Amino acid sequence: RVHDAFTMVAMMQNHDKWPAKDIEIIGTDGAAPVALVAGALLGNAVSNVKAELNGFRFANLTNFWDVNFVPGAVKYGDVETLVRLNKR
């Protein structure tokens, strides 16, 4: 899902008629973790990242088949670290 966000940002930056100069990632309806990871990895390619976490934490996941499960996410700081990596 993060790769899909990368693809969308690249498409918006390289559009023939309307290349985007200012791109913001907004994660809603369960896409907050995706938005935070994409924003952290894209760095200055995006101007801002907003994520509606609604209490989401990787530490709260109880099933490793959960779509948001990421091995090591809790060990390396959970959502708080991703938020800090997105400070612009």
Side-chain angles (χ1 to χ4, degrees):
R1 295 182 302 159
V2 173
H3 185 270
D4 291 340
F6 289 174
T7 301
M8 186 57 122
V9 169
M11 186 279 305
M12 292 180 347
Q13 289 173 327
N14 299 304
H15 194 278
D16 290 335
K17 281 183 146 180
W18 305 287
K21 305 262 188 274
D22 187 32
I23 299 172
E24 181 175 85
I25 296 176
I26 301 173
T28 62
D29 296 326
V34 175
L36 290 172
V37 172
L41 294 174
L42 286 168
N44 292 331
V46 295
S47 61
N48 193 24
V49 176
K50 294 180 182 175
E52 292 181 3
L53 291 164
N54 298 324
F56 174 83
R57 295 291 178 268
F58 290 103
N60 294 338
L61 299 178
T62 59
N63 184 344
F64 65 88
W65 289 106
D66 189 292
V67 68
N68 290 313
F69 179 77
V70 177
V74 175
K75 179 180 179 179
Y76 294 108
D78 210 324
V79 172
E80 291 79 11
T81 297
L82 290 175
V83 169
R84 274 182 284 188
L85 289 170
N86 278 285
K87 297 291 182 193
R88 306 235 181 297

